[in-house]
Amino acid sequence: MPDRRQPDSPTDDNPFAAPPEGRPDQPWQPRGGGGRNGDGPKDSDGQRGPARWDPTDPIQRRARYALLAGMWGFFFAIFQIPSVGLLLGALAIYWGISALRGKPAPATAEGAPAAPAAPSGLDALGPAARPQRTAAVSGLVTASLAILLAFGSYALQLSYKDFYVCRDDALTKSAELQCNTLLPDNLVGDVLKVRQ
């Protein structure tokens, strides 16, 4: 229609602008470039951008679980609760390794020919794998530290069992102070020593 006004380019990009004359009002719809059909935003070269966190993807979920369990296991190990630190550290190592090596669920029906070998684990996510790989590796590192601290705490308790038994059985402060004689004269003894 030649008599219809063409919208200016600034109003074409404005989502709050009134519709052009003669066009009926339409319900709101998301913009076309915002990732319809499930793809993420595209870069200037047309590549798919980083995907969002998908809680239904077991690989991404395990990577996040590894990070959280490793971090909390490290905190529990530092704050002298080694049993919880050891448990969370072991879970974080399991989840971190399974996230790095995991394979997405196969989408083939029975009797169908096998598809060519697709990338597995975090490589199947493409460019979106970087934050998940970072989370999984960070979870493995913190889990390793948590397990080392927990084992160190258990090793101290086994090495200086007499001291710990004496300290736990002491009924008075003076009896507790006498337990210091069971410790060696080194840095470990200075750290474990009962203070007045």
Side-chain angles (χ1 to χ4, degrees):
M1 295 183 178
D3 61 341
R4 186 173 179 186
R5 270 185 2 176
Q6 294 296 327
D8 296 337
S9 60
T11 59
D12 195 25
D13 290 339
N14 185 357
F16 302 107
E21 280 184 36
R23 182 190 272 179
D25 287 340
Q26 296 178 342
W28 180 86
Q29 294 179 352
R31 290 186 174 194
R36 272 190 205 170
N37 301 331
D39 358 74
K42 301 217 171 184
D43 295 337
S44 57
D45 59 352
Q47 298 266 338
R48 185 175 171 198
R52 287 184 168 175
W53 157 245
D54 182 14
T56 61
D57 183 7
I59 296 172
Q60 293 185 35
R61 207 171 47 230
R62 287 178 186 157
R64 297 294 171 105
Y65 287 167
L67 177 63
L68 289 172
M71 182 178 61
W72 280 107
F74 180 71
F75 287 141
F76 277 111
I78 282 181
F79 293 123
Q80 301 297 317
I81 308 174
S83 56
V84 178
L86 189 62
L87 172 68
L88 288 175
L91 283 172
I93 285 183
Y94 168 74
W95 282 323
I97 290 173
S98 65
L100 291 173
R101 295 182 50 144
K103 296 179 182 174
T108 59
E110 279 190 39
S120 64
L122 290 174
D123 295 332
L125 296 175
R130 185 175 174 196
Q132 309 311 325
R133 183 174 288 114
T134 304
V137 170
S138 301
L140 286 173
V141 169
T142 54
S144 302
L145 290 173
I147 289 175
L148 283 175
L149 286 171
F151 278 138
S153 176
Y154 286 135
L156 273 178
Q157 290 177 18
L158 285 175
S159 300
Y160 303 110
K161 183 178 181 183
D162 294 336
F163 166 75
Y164 283 106
V165 169
C166 176
R167 191 189 67 180
D168 292 340
D169 290 344
L171 297 176
T172 63
K173 187 67 173 179
S174 60
E176 195 174 358
L177 287 170
Q178 287 178 355
C179 296
N180 288 341
T181 58
L182 299 172
L183 292 172
D185 291 332
N186 58 18
L187 179 65
V188 175
D190 290 340
V191 169
L192 296 178
K193 190 180 291 185
V194 177
R195 308 286 178 214
Q196 289 185 348

